[in-house]
Amino acid sequence: MAAPSPTDHKSGKLLGRLTLPERRFVADALRTETVGGVLLLVAAIAALLWANIPAVSDSYADVRSFHIGPASLGLDLSLQHWAADGLLAIFFFVAGIELKRELVAGDLRDARAAALPVIAALCGMAVPAVVYVIVNTVGDGSTDGWAVPTATDIAFALAVLAVIGTSLPSALRAFLLTLAVVDDLFAILIIAVFFTSDIDFLALGGAFGGLALFWFLLRRGVHGWYVYVPLALVIWGLMYNSGVHATIAGVAMGLMLRCTRSEGEQQSPGEHIEHLVRPLSAGLAVPLFALFSAGVSLSDHAIAQVFTRPETLGVVLGLVIGKTVGIFGGTWLAARFTKAELNEDLAWPDVLAVAALAGIGFTVSLLIGELAFADDPVLTDEVKAAVLIGSLIAAVIACVMLKLRNRRYRALTDAEERDEDHDGIPDIYEEDNPAYHLRMARIYEDRAAEHRRRAEEAAAAALQTAAGSTAEGDRPA
């Protein structure tokens, strides 16, 4: 099997092998996201069972609508509201750090390398929106939910991969992760631009003042969670009361962190904080949001509505068809017009499978659904059901396509992870290192010497056995 080709942006290699630091970062990030994705899956199933079992369904509605918080500060919110505006701010804080890292130290820092995921992500958001608008224009539905099918949920997508046991090569995983990061960026812009109304400029000014102080303290090198956590809470509260969606505060603070390493640093401040906060986001914040948002009625009537009502049908088709066509088409266009070539170890069906997997829109899609139809609780729940059903269909299609190539993926992954000289660096990254080849020569020489010794011992034992047999045959009866 040919080894995966190295990433070479100048030669225009699409989905080539990652650099070793980038591969390690992707592996660490996806490991946490995968565990969080499984928890997210469990939370979503728990919410659906809780909301649809008649004996306990009323308690789900009561718990979700239970209010808590200081009314004097404008924060007397339901638990569902706290999850959507509060806990998801942590999720978007991590997304902001990821985006900052990609811009200054990851693939997005290079315009040529960034072109592929950015074009794919833009097409993967534009086409689902167009599909939704067409369905609702033809069906005389509301176009307010055009943004619902535009989001990709990386945690849920990786949870699906974890459940089916598919081992994607690192290049495809990195492509999926970078897609999701760019997707999150544009989802944030959509929320900020299209779902903000009745702005309180005094509170907004206070939030910007808090962000300026946050930035100043970071640049002065001030340390201590006891400084930043209270300040972050104040910024979040002011942003919420300003009328701008409170998750924007999380993104803004994430983008302010330094993600480049100074001399002598093992990790940049951004990497360090992301390492600390990502488990909280993936393991607690997002699953709790799913628990309080995914509990929708899945009766026969509700499911029928998903496929007959234009708003919900537009969401399903946007996720299943729009996402796949948009991402695959964007990637093909990038290859066609930039004269880039797909990595020879992969095939276009691999890109198609990942594009279908990106149709799993959950966390941000649910959030945008709540914002788009806030005045119509019934339609909100129906749109959420459409998000769940569309994501499930996309997951099934992607799983079938990935399973067909799973043996090939395992071979590629095994090649990426092989470390015969046990130096902690995969052999595929040392092919141009003379010291590696000298180490391997010594290893093979030692193995050859061991085999020669064993061969001599086996030959001596065979001669001894033959001699013994001859001596016994020469004895008189």
Side-chain angles (χ1 to χ4, degrees), residues 48-82:
L48 289 171
L49 292 174
W50 193 0
N52 286 278
I53 296 176
V56 295
S57 59
D58 289 341
S59 66
Y60 179 77
D62 292 340
V63 171
R64 188 165 64 170
S65 60
F66 180 77
H67 278 64
I68 189 173
S72 59
L73 298 178
L75 297 175
D76 181 19
L77 311 177
S78 67
L79 291 181
Q80 182 183 8
H81 210 161
W82 276 111

PDB file of all heavy atoms in Angstrom, residues 48-82:
ATOM      1  N   LEU A  48     -35.561  12.571  24.400  1.00  0.00           N
ATOM      2  CA  LEU A  48     -36.671  12.058  23.594  1.00  0.00           C
ATOM      3  C   LEU A  48     -37.533  11.077  24.395  1.00  0.00           C
ATOM      4  O   LEU A  48     -38.759  11.106  24.318  1.00  0.00           O
ATOM      5  CB  LEU A  48     -36.127  11.382  22.335  1.00  0.00           C
ATOM      6  CG  LEU A  48     -35.531  12.331  21.275  1.00  0.00           C
ATOM      7  CD1 LEU A  48     -34.833  11.542  20.183  1.00  0.00           C
ATOM      8  CD2 LEU A  48     -36.617  13.220  20.686  1.00  0.00           C
ATOM      9  N   LEU A  49     -36.882  10.202  25.157  1.00  0.00           N
ATOM     10  CA  LEU A  49     -37.641   9.257  25.979  1.00  0.00           C
ATOM     11  C   LEU A  49     -38.431   9.991  27.056  1.00  0.00           C
ATOM     12  O   LEU A  49     -39.613   9.708  27.298  1.00  0.00           O
ATOM     13  CB  LEU A  49     -36.682   8.242  26.622  1.00  0.00           C
ATOM     14  CG  LEU A  49     -36.007   7.252  25.667  1.00  0.00           C
ATOM     15  CD1 LEU A  49     -34.983   6.412  26.417  1.00  0.00           C
ATOM     16  CD2 LEU A  49     -37.051   6.364  24.999  1.00  0.00           C
ATOM     17  N   TRP A  50     -37.784  10.946  27.707  1.00  0.00           N
ATOM     18  CA  TRP A  50     -38.418  11.718  28.782  1.00  0.00           C
ATOM     19  C   TRP A  50     -39.641  12.479  28.254  1.00  0.00           C
ATOM     20  O   TRP A  50     -40.673  12.570  28.915  1.00  0.00           O
ATOM     21  CB  TRP A  50     -37.390  12.655  29.381  1.00  0.00           C
ATOM     22  CG  TRP A  50     -37.784  13.285  30.681  1.00  0.00           C
ATOM     23  CD1 TRP A  50     -38.947  13.118  31.378  1.00  0.00           C
ATOM     24  CD2 TRP A  50     -37.001  14.201  31.452  1.00  0.00           C
ATOM     25  NE1 TRP A  50     -38.939  13.868  32.524  1.00  0.00           N
ATOM     26  CE2 TRP A  50     -37.754  14.550  32.603  1.00  0.00           C
ATOM     27  CE3 TRP A  50     -35.738  14.765  31.293  1.00  0.00           C
ATOM     28  CZ2 TRP A  50     -37.286  15.434  33.569  1.00  0.00           C
ATOM     29  CZ3 TRP A  50     -35.266  15.646  32.257  1.00  0.00           C
ATOM     30  CH2 TRP A  50     -36.040  15.968  33.395  1.00  0.00           C
ATOM     31  N   ALA A  51     -39.515  13.024  27.043  1.00  0.00           N
ATOM     32  CA  ALA A  51     -40.599  13.842  26.490  1.00  0.00           C
ATOM     33  C   ALA A  51     -41.712  13.011  25.857  1.00  0.00           C
ATOM     34  O   ALA A  51     -42.819  13.520  25.647  1.00  0.00           O
ATOM     35  CB  ALA A  51     -40.035  14.807  25.454  1.00  0.00           C
ATOM     36  N   ASN A  52     -41.443  11.741  25.543  1.00  0.00           N
ATOM     37  CA  ASN A  52     -42.435  10.945  24.818  1.00  0.00           C
ATOM     38  C   ASN A  52     -43.040   9.799  25.608  1.00  0.00           C
ATOM     39  O   ASN A  52     -43.971   9.160  25.121  1.00  0.00           O
ATOM     40  CB  ASN A  52     -41.793  10.400  23.532  1.00  0.00           C
ATOM     41  CG  ASN A  52     -41.610  11.475  22.473  1.00  0.00           C
ATOM     42  OD1 ASN A  52     -42.526  11.804  21.742  1.00  0.00           O
ATOM     43  ND2 ASN A  52     -40.412  12.027  22.416  1.00  0.00           N
ATOM     44  N   ILE A  53     -42.541   9.522  26.818  1.00  0.00           N
ATOM     45  CA  ILE A  53     -43.157   8.510  27.672  1.00  0.00           C
ATOM     46  C   ILE A  53     -44.277   9.198  28.456  1.00  0.00           C
ATOM     47  O   ILE A  53     -44.018  10.119  29.236  1.00  0.00           O
ATOM     48  CB  ILE A  53     -42.132   7.878  28.632  1.00  0.00           C
ATOM     49  CG1 ILE A  53     -41.073   7.114  27.823  1.00  0.00           C
ATOM     50  CG2 ILE A  53     -42.825   6.939  29.616  1.00  0.00           C
ATOM     51  CD1 ILE A  53     -39.961   6.539  28.664  1.00  0.00           C
ATOM     52  N   PRO A  54     -45.522   8.813  28.256  1.00  0.00           N
ATOM     53  CA  PRO A  54     -46.667   9.537  28.860  1.00  0.00           C
ATOM     54  C   PRO A  54     -46.567   9.717  30.370  1.00  0.00           C
ATOM     55  O   PRO A  54     -46.948  10.779  30.885  1.00  0.00           O
ATOM     56  CB  PRO A  54     -47.868   8.648  28.489  1.00  0.00           C
ATOM     57  CG  PRO A  54     -47.444   7.936  27.250  1.00  0.00           C
ATOM     58  CD  PRO A  54     -45.975   7.699  27.398  1.00  0.00           C
ATOM     59  N   ALA A  55     -46.013   8.750  31.072  1.00  0.00           N
ATOM     60  CA  ALA A  55     -45.974   8.822  32.533  1.00  0.00           C
ATOM     61  C   ALA A  55     -45.075   9.941  33.044  1.00  0.00           C
ATOM     62  O   ALA A  55     -45.270  10.447  34.154  1.00  0.00           O
ATOM     63  CB  ALA A  55     -45.515   7.478  33.109  1.00  0.00           C
ATOM     64  N   VAL A  56     -44.078  10.339  32.244  1.00  0.00           N
ATOM     65  CA  VAL A  56     -43.109  11.340  32.740  1.00  0.00           C
ATOM     66  C   VAL A  56     -43.015  12.563  31.827  1.00  0.00           C
ATOM     67  O   VAL A  56     -42.232  13.476  32.126  1.00  0.00           O
ATOM     68  CB  VAL A  56     -41.711  10.706  32.902  1.00  0.00           C
ATOM     69  CG1 VAL A  56     -41.710   9.637  33.990  1.00  0.00           C
ATOM     70  CG2 VAL A  56     -41.216  10.119  31.574  1.00  0.00           C
ATOM     71  N   SER A  57     -43.751  12.590  30.734  1.00  0.00           N
ATOM     72  CA  SER A  57     -43.604  13.692  29.775  1.00  0.00           C
ATOM     73  C   SER A  57     -43.964  15.043  30.370  1.00  0.00           C
ATOM     74  O   SER A  57     -43.336  16.065  30.032  1.00  0.00           O
ATOM     75  CB  SER A  57     -44.460  13.419  28.537  1.00  0.00           C
ATOM     76  OG  SER A  57     -45.821  13.283  28.894  1.00  0.00           O
ATOM     77  N   ASP A  58     -44.968  15.080  31.262  1.00  0.00           N
ATOM     78  CA  ASP A  58     -45.335  16.357  31.885  1.00  0.00           C
ATOM     79  C   ASP A  58     -44.205  16.905  32.744  1.00  0.00           C
ATOM     80  O   ASP A  58     -43.981  18.122  32.791  1.00  0.00           O
ATOM     81  CB  ASP A  58     -46.600  16.187  32.737  1.00  0.00           C
ATOM     82  CG  ASP A  58     -47.843  15.969  31.883  1.00  0.00           C
ATOM     83  OD1 ASP A  58     -47.788  16.297  30.676  1.00  0.00           O
ATOM     84  OD2 ASP A  58     -48.847  15.459  32.419  1.00  0.00           O
ATOM     85  N   SER A  59     -43.484  16.010  33.421  1.00  0.00           N
ATOM     86  CA  SER A  59     -42.387  16.465  34.274  1.00  0.00           C
ATOM     87  C   SER A  59     -41.260  17.065  33.433  1.00  0.00           C
ATOM     88  O   SER A  59     -40.561  17.983  33.879  1.00  0.00           O
ATOM     89  CB  SER A  59     -41.856  15.308  35.128  1.00  0.00           C
ATOM     90  OG  SER A  59     -41.257  14.313  34.319  1.00  0.00           O
ATOM     91  N   TYR A  60     -41.070  16.560  32.217  1.00  0.00           N
ATOM     92  CA  TYR A  60     -40.039  17.122  31.336  1.00  0.00           C
ATOM     93  C   TYR A  60     -40.354  18.579  31.025  1.00  0.00           C
ATOM     94  O   TYR A  60     -39.479  19.456  31.109  1.00  0.00           O
ATOM     95  CB  TYR A  60     -39.943  16.318  30.046  1.00  0.00           C
ATOM     96  CG  TYR A  60     -38.920  16.856  29.067  1.00  0.00           C
ATOM     97  CD1 TYR A  60     -37.567  16.634  29.267  1.00  0.00           C
ATOM     98  CD2 TYR A  60     -39.305  17.616  27.955  1.00  0.00           C
ATOM     99  CE1 TYR A  60     -36.620  17.141  28.372  1.00  0.00           C
ATOM    100  CE2 TYR A  60     -38.379  18.119  27.063  1.00  0.00           C
ATOM    101  CZ  TYR A  60     -37.038  17.869  27.281  1.00  0.00           C
ATOM    102  OH  TYR A  60     -36.102  18.381  26.408  1.00  0.00           O
ATOM    103  N   ALA A  61     -41.603  18.847  30.664  1.00  0.00           N
ATOM    104  CA  ALA A  61     -42.003  20.221  30.369  1.00  0.00           C
ATOM    105  C   ALA A  61     -41.861  21.115  31.598  1.00  0.00           C
ATOM    106  O   ALA A  61     -41.431  22.271  31.496  1.00  0.00           O
ATOM    107  CB  ALA A  61     -43.436  20.248  29.850  1.00  0.00           C
ATOM    108  N   ASP A  62     -42.205  20.580  32.785  1.00  0.00           N
ATOM    109  CA  ASP A  62     -42.113  21.366  34.012  1.00  0.00           C
ATOM    110  C   ASP A  62     -40.662  21.705  34.338  1.00  0.00           C
ATOM    111  O   ASP A  62     -40.348  22.843  34.713  1.00  0.00           O
ATOM    112  CB  ASP A  62     -42.741  20.597  35.178  1.00  0.00           C
ATOM    113  CG  ASP A  62     -44.253  20.454  35.042  1.00  0.00           C
ATOM    114  OD1 ASP A  62     -44.845  21.245  34.281  1.00  0.00           O
ATOM    115  OD2 ASP A  62     -44.822  19.534  35.667  1.00  0.00           O
ATOM    116  N   VAL A  63     -39.781  20.713  34.223  1.00  0.00           N
ATOM    117  CA  VAL A  63     -38.364  20.944  34.531  1.00  0.00           C
ATOM    118  C   VAL A  63     -37.756  21.918  33.539  1.00  0.00           C
ATOM    119  O   VAL A  63     -37.031  22.847  33.907  1.00  0.00           O
ATOM    120  CB  VAL A  63     -37.586  19.607  34.534  1.00  0.00           C
ATOM    121  CG1 VAL A  63     -36.078  19.859  34.624  1.00  0.00           C
ATOM    122  CG2 VAL A  63     -38.040  18.726  35.688  1.00  0.00           C
ATOM    123  N   ARG A  64     -38.057  21.731  32.268  1.00  0.00           N
ATOM    124  CA  ARG A  64     -37.475  22.580  31.232  1.00  0.00           C
ATOM    125  C   ARG A  64     -37.903  24.037  31.392  1.00  0.00           C
ATOM    126  O   ARG A  64     -37.137  24.962  31.091  1.00  0.00           O
ATOM    127  CB  ARG A  64     -37.883  22.060  29.859  1.00  0.00           C
ATOM    128  CG  ARG A  64     -37.182  22.736  28.718  1.00  0.00           C
ATOM    129  CD  ARG A  64     -37.320  21.976  27.423  1.00  0.00           C
ATOM    130  NE  ARG A  64     -38.697  21.898  26.947  1.00  0.00           N
ATOM    131  CZ  ARG A  64     -39.032  21.445  25.736  1.00  0.00           C
ATOM    132  NH1 ARG A  64     -38.096  21.032  24.910  1.00  0.00           N
ATOM    133  NH2 ARG A  64     -40.292  21.401  25.364  1.00  0.00           N
ATOM    134  N   SER A  65     -39.124  24.258  31.862  1.00  0.00           N
ATOM    135  CA  SER A  65     -39.636  25.627  31.989  1.00  0.00           C
ATOM    136  C   SER A  65     -39.434  26.219  33.382  1.00  0.00           C
ATOM    137  O   SER A  65     -39.876  27.350  33.642  1.00  0.00           O
ATOM    138  CB  SER A  65     -41.128  25.660  31.644  1.00  0.00           C
ATOM    139  OG  SER A  65     -41.859  24.822  32.526  1.00  0.00           O
ATOM    140  N   PHE A  66     -38.765  25.472  34.273  1.00  0.00           N
ATOM    141  CA  PHE A  66     -38.526  25.977  35.625  1.00  0.00           C
ATOM    142  C   PHE A  66     -37.591  27.189  35.580  1.00  0.00           C
ATOM    143  O   PHE A  66     -36.524  27.142  34.968  1.00  0.00           O
ATOM    144  CB  PHE A  66     -37.920  24.875  36.494  1.00  0.00           C
ATOM    145  CG  PHE A  66     -37.642  25.302  37.909  1.00  0.00           C
ATOM    146  CD1 PHE A  66     -38.674  25.408  38.823  1.00  0.00           C
ATOM    147  CD2 PHE A  66     -36.347  25.617  38.315  1.00  0.00           C
ATOM    148  CE1 PHE A  66     -38.416  25.815  40.132  1.00  0.00           C
ATOM    149  CE2 PHE A  66     -36.086  26.017  39.615  1.00  0.00           C
ATOM    150  CZ  PHE A  66     -37.117  26.120  40.524  1.00  0.00           C
ATOM    151  N   HIS A  67     -37.981  28.279  36.221  1.00  0.00           N
ATOM    152  CA  HIS A  67     -37.198  29.523  36.187  1.00  0.00           C
ATOM    153  C   HIS A  67     -36.300  29.654  37.410  1.00  0.00           C
ATOM    154  O   HIS A  67     -36.691  29.302  38.516  1.00  0.00           O
ATOM    155  CB  HIS A  67     -38.127  30.740  36.092  1.00  0.00           C
ATOM    156  CG  HIS A  67     -38.583  31.032  34.697  1.00  0.00           C
ATOM    157  ND1 HIS A  67     -39.365  30.165  33.976  1.00  0.00           N
ATOM    158  CD2 HIS A  67     -38.344  32.107  33.871  1.00  0.00           C
ATOM    159  CE1 HIS A  67     -39.610  30.674  32.783  1.00  0.00           C
ATOM    160  NE2 HIS A  67     -39.007  31.846  32.696  1.00  0.00           N
ATOM    161  N   ILE A  68     -35.119  30.169  37.157  1.00  0.00           N
ATOM    162  CA  ILE A  68     -34.161  30.414  38.226  1.00  0.00           C
ATOM    163  C   ILE A  68     -33.242  31.549  37.789  1.00  0.00           C
ATOM    164  O   ILE A  68     -32.992  31.719  36.595  1.00  0.00           O
ATOM    165  CB  ILE A  68     -33.348  29.134  38.546  1.00  0.00           C
ATOM    166  CG1 ILE A  68     -32.501  29.326  39.807  1.00  0.00           C
ATOM    167  CG2 ILE A  68     -32.475  28.725  37.364  1.00  0.00           C
ATOM    168  CD1 ILE A  68     -31.820  28.052  40.277  1.00  0.00           C
ATOM    169  N   GLY A  69     -32.774  32.331  38.733  1.00  0.00           N
ATOM    170  CA  GLY A  69     -31.853  33.420  38.417  1.00  0.00           C
ATOM    171  C   GLY A  69     -32.338  34.744  38.967  1.00  0.00           C
ATOM    172  O   GLY A  69     -33.528  34.917  39.259  1.00  0.00           O
ATOM    173  N   PRO A  70     -31.444  35.716  39.105  1.00  0.00           N
ATOM    174  CA  PRO A  70     -31.792  37.030  39.669  1.00  0.00           C
ATOM    175  C   PRO A  70     -32.597  37.879  38.686  1.00  0.00           C
ATOM    176  O   PRO A  70     -32.081  38.324  37.659  1.00  0.00           O
ATOM    177  CB  PRO A  70     -30.422  37.665  39.954  1.00  0.00           C
ATOM    178  CG  PRO A  70     -29.485  36.994  38.997  1.00  0.00           C
ATOM    179  CD  PRO A  70     -29.995  35.610  38.802  1.00  0.00           C
ATOM    180  N   ALA A  71     -33.866  38.088  39.017  1.00  0.00           N
ATOM    181  CA  ALA A  71     -34.733  38.884  38.141  1.00  0.00           C
ATOM    182  C   ALA A  71     -34.267  40.332  38.059  1.00  0.00           C
ATOM    183  O   ALA A  71     -34.446  41.000  37.028  1.00  0.00           O
ATOM    184  CB  ALA A  71     -36.170  38.814  38.649  1.00  0.00           C
ATOM    185  N   SER A  72     -33.657  40.827  39.148  1.00  0.00           N
ATOM    186  CA  SER A  72     -33.209  42.224  39.166  1.00  0.00           C
ATOM    187  C   SER A  72     -32.125  42.492  38.123  1.00  0.00           C
ATOM    188  O   SER A  72     -31.936  43.625  37.695  1.00  0.00           O
ATOM    189  CB  SER A  72     -32.692  42.588  40.560  1.00  0.00           C
ATOM    190  OG  SER A  72     -31.615  41.738  40.918  1.00  0.00           O
ATOM    191  N   LEU A  73     -31.416  41.433  37.722  1.00  0.00           N
ATOM    192  CA  LEU A  73     -30.364  41.575  36.706  1.00  0.00           C
ATOM    193  C   LEU A  73     -30.857  41.150  35.319  1.00  0.00           C
ATOM    194  O   LEU A  73     -30.075  41.042  34.381  1.00  0.00           O
ATOM    195  CB  LEU A  73     -29.138  40.728  37.093  1.00  0.00           C
ATOM    196  CG  LEU A  73     -28.445  41.101  38.406  1.00  0.00           C
ATOM    197  CD1 LEU A  73     -27.277  40.155  38.682  1.00  0.00           C
ATOM    198  CD2 LEU A  73     -27.955  42.555  38.362  1.00  0.00           C
ATOM    199  N   GLY A  74     -32.164  40.909  35.208  1.00  0.00           N
ATOM    200  CA  GLY A  74     -32.724  40.476  33.932  1.00  0.00           C
ATOM    201  C   GLY A  74     -32.364  39.058  33.573  1.00  0.00           C
ATOM    202  O   GLY A  74     -32.363  38.683  32.398  1.00  0.00           O
ATOM    203  N   LEU A  75     -32.064  38.241  34.595  1.00  0.00           N
ATOM    204  CA  LEU A  75     -31.602  36.875  34.332  1.00  0.00           C
ATOM    205  C   LEU A  75     -32.478  35.831  35.013  1.00  0.00           C
ATOM    206  O   LEU A  75     -32.004  34.777  35.442  1.00  0.00           O
ATOM    207  CB  LEU A  75     -30.144  36.720  34.810  1.00  0.00           C
ATOM    208  CG  LEU A  75     -29.105  37.611  34.097  1.00  0.00           C
ATOM    209  CD1 LEU A  75     -27.738  37.459  34.753  1.00  0.00           C
ATOM    210  CD2 LEU A  75     -29.031  37.264  32.614  1.00  0.00           C
ATOM    211  N   ASP A  76     -33.765  36.100  35.130  1.00  0.00           N
ATOM    212  CA  ASP A  76     -34.709  35.114  35.655  1.00  0.00           C
ATOM    213  C   ASP A  76     -35.141  34.241  34.466  1.00  0.00           C
ATOM    214  O   ASP A  76     -36.154  34.501  33.816  1.00  0.00           O
ATOM    215  CB  ASP A  76     -35.912  35.807  36.289  1.00  0.00           C
ATOM    216  CG  ASP A  76     -36.908  34.809  36.869  1.00  0.00           C
ATOM    217  OD1 ASP A  76     -36.508  33.650  37.099  1.00  0.00           O
ATOM    218  OD2 ASP A  76     -38.082  35.168  37.054  1.00  0.00           O
ATOM    219  N   LEU A  77     -34.365  33.194  34.188  1.00  0.00           N
ATOM    220  CA  LEU A  77     -34.527  32.412  32.968  1.00  0.00           C
ATOM    221  C   LEU A  77     -34.952  30.985  33.283  1.00  0.00           C
ATOM    222  O   LEU A  77     -34.684  30.460  34.367  1.00  0.00           O
ATOM    223  CB  LEU A  77     -33.207  32.382  32.183  1.00  0.00           C
ATOM    224  CG  LEU A  77     -32.500  33.719  31.945  1.00  0.00           C
ATOM    225  CD1 LEU A  77     -31.191  33.498  31.215  1.00  0.00           C
ATOM    226  CD2 LEU A  77     -33.402  34.657  31.154  1.00  0.00           C
ATOM    227  N   SER A  78     -35.578  30.344  32.295  1.00  0.00           N
ATOM    228  CA  SER A  78     -35.905  28.927  32.424  1.00  0.00           C
ATOM    229  C   SER A  78     -34.629  28.106  32.255  1.00  0.00           C
ATOM    230  O   SER A  78     -33.616  28.590  31.713  1.00  0.00           O
ATOM    231  CB  SER A  78     -36.923  28.524  31.357  1.00  0.00           C
ATOM    232  OG  SER A  78     -36.339  28.608  30.069  1.00  0.00           O
ATOM    233  N   LEU A  79     -34.684  26.848  32.708  1.00  0.00           N
ATOM    234  CA  LEU A  79     -33.512  25.988  32.560  1.00  0.00           C
ATOM    235  C   LEU A  79     -33.170  25.785  31.088  1.00  0.00           C
ATOM    236  O   LEU A  79     -31.990  25.715  30.721  1.00  0.00           O
ATOM    237  CB  LEU A  79     -33.775  24.636  33.235  1.00  0.00           C
ATOM    238  CG  LEU A  79     -33.863  24.647  34.767  1.00  0.00           C
ATOM    239  CD1 LEU A  79     -34.101  23.236  35.293  1.00  0.00           C
ATOM    240  CD2 LEU A  79     -32.589  25.230  35.383  1.00  0.00           C
ATOM    241  N   GLN A  80     -34.186  25.710  30.243  1.00  0.00           N
ATOM    242  CA  GLN A  80     -33.930  25.582  28.811  1.00  0.00           C
ATOM    243  C   GLN A  80     -33.210  26.822  28.276  1.00  0.00           C
ATOM    244  O   GLN A  80     -32.275  26.718  27.466  1.00  0.00           O
ATOM    245  CB  GLN A  80     -35.247  25.381  28.055  1.00  0.00           C
ATOM    246  CG  GLN A  80     -35.050  25.201  26.557  1.00  0.00           C
ATOM    247  CD  GLN A  80     -36.365  25.070  25.811  1.00  0.00           C
ATOM    248  OE1 GLN A  80     -37.436  25.264  26.384  1.00  0.00           O
ATOM    249  NE2 GLN A  80     -36.298  24.740  24.528  1.00  0.00           N
ATOM    250  N   HIS A  81     -33.617  27.977  28.774  1.00  0.00           N
ATOM    251  CA  HIS A  81     -33.003  29.230  28.361  1.00  0.00           C
ATOM    252  C   HIS A  81     -31.560  29.318  28.860  1.00  0.00           C
ATOM    253  O   HIS A  81     -30.661  29.760  28.141  1.00  0.00           O
ATOM    254  CB  HIS A  81     -33.837  30.396  28.912  1.00  0.00           C
ATOM    255  CG  HIS A  81     -33.788  31.611  28.046  1.00  0.00           C
ATOM    256  ND1 HIS A  81     -34.725  32.617  28.121  1.00  0.00           N
ATOM    257  CD2 HIS A  81     -32.916  31.988  27.085  1.00  0.00           C
ATOM    258  CE1 HIS A  81     -34.415  33.560  27.257  1.00  0.00           C
ATOM    259  NE2 HIS A  81     -33.324  33.201  26.621  1.00  0.00           N
ATOM    260  N   TRP A  82     -31.333  28.921  30.095  1.00  0.00           N
ATOM    261  CA  TRP A  82     -29.977  28.910  30.650  1.00  0.00           C
ATOM    262  C   TRP A  82     -29.074  28.007  29.811  1.00  0.00           C
ATOM    263  O   TRP A  82     -27.907  28.332  29.557  1.00  0.00           O
ATOM    264  CB  TRP A  82     -29.972  28.436  32.096  1.00  0.00           C
ATOM    265  CG  TRP A  82     -30.265  29.504  33.107  1.00  0.00           C
ATOM    266  CD1 TRP A  82     -31.366  29.628  33.890  1.00  0.00           C
ATOM    267  CD2 TRP A  82     -29.412  30.611  33.449  1.00  0.00           C
ATOM    268  NE1 TRP A  82     -31.271  30.745  34.690  1.00  0.00           N
ATOM    269  CE2 TRP A  82     -30.077  31.365  34.451  1.00  0.00           C
ATOM    270  CE3 TRP A  82     -28.171  31.040  33.003  1.00  0.00           C
ATOM    271  CZ2 TRP A  82     -29.530  32.513  35.009  1.00  0.00           C
ATOM    272  CZ3 TRP A  82     -27.616  32.188  33.566  1.00  0.00           C
ATOM    273  CH2 TRP A  82     -28.293  32.911  34.541  1.00  0.00           C
TER     274      TRP A  82
END
